Amino acid sequence: MATFLLSIVLLIVGYMVYSKVVERIFGINDAKPTPAYTKGDGMDYVPMPWWKGSLIQLLNIAGLGPIFGAILGAFYGPVAFIWIVIGTLFAGAVHDYFSGMLSLRHNGEQYPTIVGRYLGKSVRFFIHIVSILLMILVAAAFTAGPAQLIAEITPISFMFALGLIFTYFLMAAVLPVNKIIGKVYPVFGAILIFMAVAVCGALLFSGHQIPNVTASNLHPDNLPLWPLMMVTISCGAISGFHATQSPIIARTIKKESEGRKVFYGAMVAEGIIALIWAAAAMTFFGGTGGLAAAHAAAGPAGVVNEISTSLLGTLGGILAILGVIILPITTGDTALRSSRMMLTELLGKGFSKIKGKKAVIFATIPVTVPAIFLATIDYTFLWRYVGWTNQLVATVMLWTAAMYLLKHQKVHWICGVPALFMTAVVSTYIFYAPEGFGMAYEPSLAIGLSLTSVVLAWYIKQIFAHRKEKQEHSVSSIAS
């Protein structure tokens, strides 16, 4: 239990200290008007209070991610606590802060466009396609589960439930951000926090002994901890999906100093939620073996329901239903909203002749149709591909932030080091995982680390190139 409590304290202290370091390195300017005012359109660019933006951001980036991902990550045992704390403070929250603040600095631009500014047009095109695919996969994966549960507990069929959810998705994607998202999502964000806090309190006073961290990998199937755990626990440590969501809130922020609370703060809150659910999952069922059996019998939704109802009674059951149905739906609709924005930027000239709501609808339909189709296929198949794609997007975002800092002669390693780590994760994972090349672990590790070495060489080359450019600029300035 001591490790669990210490982990929560470290996240809180880390937010209070390291977030200010990151903010100072970025360099805020509250005198500069934000896109919410300079590009106000009553649709996406709408000023909102920071606390409302924080709750919406938390709900957008979290949903069931830090719950289901943490439950699966708990299979590895309390070592998951270490990854959640370190990943959140030094990778995930830094990633979220820069994805939001760079969007804010560049007039609310979407993630792929920001990537193009600092990594080049070819990378921008590639990541545009990957990001839109990720959004479609997330919308599909976060829709299939709720629709299935609705079909199980009501007379409504799965396909009809799916139709209802996607009808709502279309409404949420085409209406102004302050109509549904701005009014309802802060309430759902509060429910997400309340649910986690209630489970944490009940767990601490239930008599269950939360295990402390050991060096052991306790996965029942003896799966390698690295890099699988870093992909399994994405939301709650670092997730590229967040880079696609941050621009939604970046377009509503009133001043730059609010970015630390909204972007870095929401990620830390998600890390705490992930810690709570990881602790509950590995404790409630008497260890990782019991957790694996419960998960095999009822899936992650069943695990959430059993923990919630057992610890919190009727209230827990209500919260579980709200969580498993509402939270993924709210993630799915913002995924479609951001994919609509990305598609509009990708095909900007093609949509230039279409104005107003028609443009929004025409940009939403092409990403909604494939999402509906994918929602009808196997959920586990979808989720496997979401995992690696998600972490690839996160890695590219960290490299983008590192190049931004390098270009502006700032402390770039705060993004470069986690970017290098995540490069090793995604490079090794794609060769080892069954949804990748399915190779043996040792050669996958060797190839992954070799690719990471190539990227490291590129990073060093960029550092020396910028130093040379700086020196030449200084010499020319003196000469003139």
Side-chain angles (χ1 to χ4, degrees):
M1 183 176 295
T3 302
F4 169 66
L5 295 176
L6 178 61
S7 296
I8 293 179
V9 171
L10 287 174
L11 282 177
I12 295 172
V13 173
Y15 167 72
M16 295 171 63
V17 177
Y18 196 62
S19 69
K20 293 181 180 179
V21 173
V22 173
E23 181 185 61
R24 190 176 300 113
I25 291 172
F26 179 80
I28 59 171
N29 180 10
D30 279 346
K32 183 178 180 180
T34 63
Y37 297 105
T38 60
K39 298 191 67 176
D41 61 0
M43 180 67 184
D44 297 317
Y45 294 88
V46 180
M48 286 197 299
W50 73 264
W51 61 268
K52 184 178 286 189
S54 293
L55 287 172
I56 296 171
Q57 174 74 0
L58 175 62
L59 193 65
N60 286 356
I61 66 174
L64 281 180
I67 300 178
F68 281 11
I71 288 171
L72 294 173
F75 278 40
Y76 294 93
V79 69
F81 296 157
I82 298 176
W83 168 238
I84 292 173
V85 172
I86 295 177
T88 294
L89 293 177
F90 300 107
V94 173
H95 166 281
D96 288 16
Y97 182 80
F98 277 91
S99 64
M101 295 304 292
L102 287 179
S103 175
L104 187 148
R105 278 282 172 90
H106 295 298
N107 296 313
E109 284 181 350
Q110 287 295 300
Y111 159 69
T113 305
I114 298 170
V115 169
R117 283 181 175 272
Y118 299 101
L119 295 181
K121 292 182 179 180
S122 58
V123 180
R124 171 189 173 179
F125 180 78
F126 168 74
I127 211 65
H128 234 133
I129 302 301
V130 171
S131 298
I132 292 173
L133 287 175
L134 174 60
M135 295 304 93
I136 293 172
L137 285 169
V138 167
F142 276 57
T143 301
Q148 188 64 50
L149 184 58
I150 290 172
E152 290 176 3
I153 64 176
T154 71
I156 297 175
S157 69
F158 171 78
M159 290 305 298
F160 189 76
L162 204 63
L164 289 177
I165 293 172
F166 273 99
T167 299
Y168 162 75
F169 279 2
L170 283 170
M171 291 174 56
V174 303
L175 286 174
V177 69
N178 61 335
K179 295 299 181 183
I180 292 181
I181 294 176
K183 291 182 178 179
V184 180
Y185 283 24
V187 177
F188 292 155
I191 289 174
L192 178 65
I193 295 172
F194 177 78
M195 185 178 181
V197 171
V199 167
C200 180
L203 185 66
L204 291 175
F205 293 101
S206 66
H208 290 86
Q209 293 300 311
I210 303 173
N212 290 317
V213 169
T214 65
S216 303
N217 176 4
L218 303 181
H219 199 290
D221 296 327
N222 200 33
L223 294 177
L225 188 142
W226 195 91
L228 298 189
M229 189 176 71
M230 287 72 191
V231 175
T232 302
I233 305 179
S234 52
C235 293
I238 178 172
S239 167
F241 176 70
H242 300 185
T244 67
Q245 300 303 292
S246 294
I248 295 176
I249 304 303
R251 298 179 177 192
T252 69
I253 287 180
K254 294 182 177 181
K255 55 184 180 179
E256 290 191 354
S257 59
E258 294 175 350
R260 183 175 68 89
K261 293 177 283 189
V262 172
F263 300 118
Y264 200 105
M267 182 61 223
V268 170
E270 185 184 47
I272 293 174
I273 292 170
L275 275 176
I276 291 169
W277 280 101
M282 70 181 70
T283 301
F284 184 81
F285 299 98
T288 57
L291 170 61
H295 185 271
V303 170
V304 171
N305 184 61
E306 186 170 352
I307 292 174
S308 300
T309 53
S310 298
L311 292 178
L312 302 173
T314 303
L315 173 63
I318 295 172
L319 289 174
I321 294 297
L322 285 173
V324 175
I325 293 179
I326 295 177
L327 296 181
I329 290 176
T330 58
T331 301
D333 67 14
T334 52
L336 283 184
R337 188 181 189 92
S338 57
S339 64
R340 179 258 293 172
M341 294 175 179
M342 290 180 196
L343 187 63
T344 301
E345 285 191 355
L346 180 63
L347 305 174
K349 293 182 180 179
F351 285 101
S352 60
K353 296 181 181 179
I354 307 174
K355 304 296 182 182
K357 286 286 178 61
K358 287 185 179 180
V360 175
I361 293 172
F362 274 104
T364 303
I365 291 175
V367 293
T368 302
V369 172
I372 294 174
F373 170 75
L374 288 172
T376 62
I377 68 177
D378 181 44
Y379 173 85
T380 55
F381 171 83
L382 288 175
W383 193 247
R384 288 203 306 269
Y385 285 95
V386 168
W388 182 77
T389 308
N390 185 45
Q391 298 305 63
L392 174 64
V393 169
T395 304
V396 174
M397 180 63 238
L398 283 170
W399 281 122
T400 301
M403 291 304 103
Y404 164 82
L405 292 172
L406 190 58
K407 179 180 179 180
H408 290 85
Q409 302 171 17
K410 297 184 179 183
V411 185
H412 52 84
W413 59 261
I414 64 167
C415 294
V417 171
L420 199 63
F421 177 83
M422 290 305 299
T423 300
V425 167
V426 297
S427 298
T428 304
Y429 184 91
I430 194 61
F431 287 98
Y432 176 70
E435 61 269 24
F437 295 100
M439 296 173 59
Y441 183 69
E442 287 75 13
S444 299
L445 185 62
I447 296 172
L449 294 179
S450 298
L451 291 173
T452 304
S453 299
V454 173
V455 176
L456 174 60
W458 166 81
Y459 184 31
I460 294 172
K461 181 179 178 181
Q462 295 299 312
I463 293 172
F464 280 106
H466 280 83
R467 284 181 181 176
K468 183 178 180 181
E469 182 181 336
K470 180 182 176 181
Q471 290 171 353
E472 290 175 350
H473 178 73
S474 299
V475 171
S476 63
S477 298
I478 294 172
S480 60

